[in-house]
Amino acid sequence: MTQKRSITFFVMAVPIIISTLVNSANSNKNVTNSASLPKDAKALPGNANDDLSFCNEALPVNDATVTRKLLYSLQKNDYKTIQSNILQIKAIKIFPIIDPILKAYGIPDDFKYMPLVESGLNAGTSPKGAKGVWQLMAGTARILGLRVGRKDDERLNLQKSTVAACKHIRDLHAEFNSWTLAAAAYNDGDGKIARAINKQNEDNYFRMHLNHETGTYVYKLVAMKEIISQPEKYGYKNI
């Protein structure tokens, strides 16, 4: 398929995917906080459940709140909202660089979608000072072995920053023994996640009460994975 035809297919498929998920939904009980989520979002169709996972940690899609968070993330990342076809084009160019580094450090492939969620694969600086496609803070980057200076900031080097991000993710997984919690800790810091676990006596990300950004972070990763890489599983063919 040519690049032009790929983009056309992608743009047409995403709204249909979301419509199919919503129209096919079945309701279920709420378990976790559903603030700021669409009230009309319901359950996902059963035949979509197999691949709805993050690093082989399945999403409990029989939970209505989990479903609403996922649908919300799909809607927030569709073409009409952020022109996600542009992210797809960038991902095609950059994933070949990221993928082998993730593999070398034993980081699951699903983490390659993190830069799209963190920075849209841009190398800008956040209001808090995070920089590069992995949005690393200066202090964290230095601990991970990167040079951070005005003239030489290795957070802007895709290969070196990916190595640093892999080290960080690996350490977070060793601490929490969960890839979903490692992703949450990457977003909010390991200290905050550890305190939340102790306070709530709960270490299942999908049952925890976290701030809105962190509480929807894994859903954003799963939604990005779905939108960028797997439109075909919903029955769409090349056009």
Side-chain angles (χ1 to χ4, degrees):
M1 184 194 301
T2 64
Q3 186 181 82
K4 182 177 180 181
R5 289 178 64 194
S6 297
I7 295 172
T8 301
F9 158 62
F10 177 77
V11 171
M12 295 181 68
V14 169
I16 301 173
I17 291 172
I18 295 170
S19 176
T20 300
L21 291 173
V22 174
N23 292 337
S24 301
N26 298 306
S27 62
N28 206 320
K29 65 180 180 179
N30 292 339
V31 174
T32 54
N33 188 1
S34 59
S36 303
L37 301 174
K39 294 181 180 180
D40 58 348
K42 299 180 181 179
L44 294 166
N47 61 6
N49 291 353
D50 292 343
D51 293 323
L52 291 174
S53 63
F54 179 70
C55 305
N56 294 320
E57 295 180 22
L59 274 69
V61 292
N62 60 323
D63 183 311
T65 299
V66 170
T67 296
R68 284 199 300 274
K69 287 185 177 184
L70 180 58
L71 288 172
Y72 178 73
S73 294
L74 283 165
Q75 292 164 352
K76 291 290 288 184
N77 290 282
D78 67 9
Y79 173 76
K80 292 181 181 179
T81 305
I82 63 168
Q83 291 187 316
S84 48
N85 64 302
I86 296 175
L87 291 178
Q88 187 188 46
I89 294 168
K90 291 181 178 179
I92 290 171
K93 295 179 180 178
I94 297 179
F95 281 177
I97 299 173
I98 294 176
D99 285 348
I101 300 174
L102 292 173
K103 184 176 181 179
Y105 280 86
I107 306 300
D109 184 70
D110 284 355
F111 275 93
K112 71 183 180 184
Y113 299 100
M114 187 175 277
L116 286 95
V117 171
E118 284 286 335
S119 64
L121 291 177
N122 292 317
T125 304
S126 76
K128 295 182 179 180
K131 183 176 289 188
V133 299
W134 291 95
Q135 288 292 280
L136 292 166
M137 296 295 290
T140 302
R142 291 189 178 101
I143 291 172
L144 295 168
L146 297 181
R147 290 194 298 270
V148 179
R150 292 183 178 180
K151 295 183 178 180
D152 184 16
D153 192 335
E154 291 184 332
R155 290 178 294 173
L156 301 178
N157 182 300
L158 180 60
Q159 291 178 311
K160 291 182 179 181
S161 65
T162 299
V163 169
C166 285
K167 291 178 180 178
H168 189 35
I169 294 166
R170 184 179 61 185
D171 290 344
L172 292 171
H173 180 263
E175 180 176 356
F176 295 107
N177 195 33
S178 164
W179 293 116
T180 51
L181 290 177
Y186 189 100
N187 175 256
D188 202 29
D190 60 332
K192 290 182 180 179
I193 297 301
R195 286 192 292 273
I197 291 172
N198 291 333
K199 182 178 180 179
Q200 299 175 33
N201 194 28
E202 177 62 72
D203 62 359
N204 185 316
Y205 170 85
F206 300 106
R207 292 198 294 261
M208 294 177 68
H209 297 273
L210 303 168
N211 66 70
H212 178 74
E213 180 181 351
T214 306
T216 58
Y217 189 70
V218 172
Y219 298 91
K220 293 176 185 177
L221 293 171
V222 174
M224 191 65 71
K225 171 184 171 182
E226 292 290 298
I227 289 173
I228 295 297
S229 69
Q230 299 187 73
E232 297 89 348
K233 82 172 186 178
Y234 294 100
Y236 300 100
K237 300 179 180 179
N238 297 347
I239 57 175

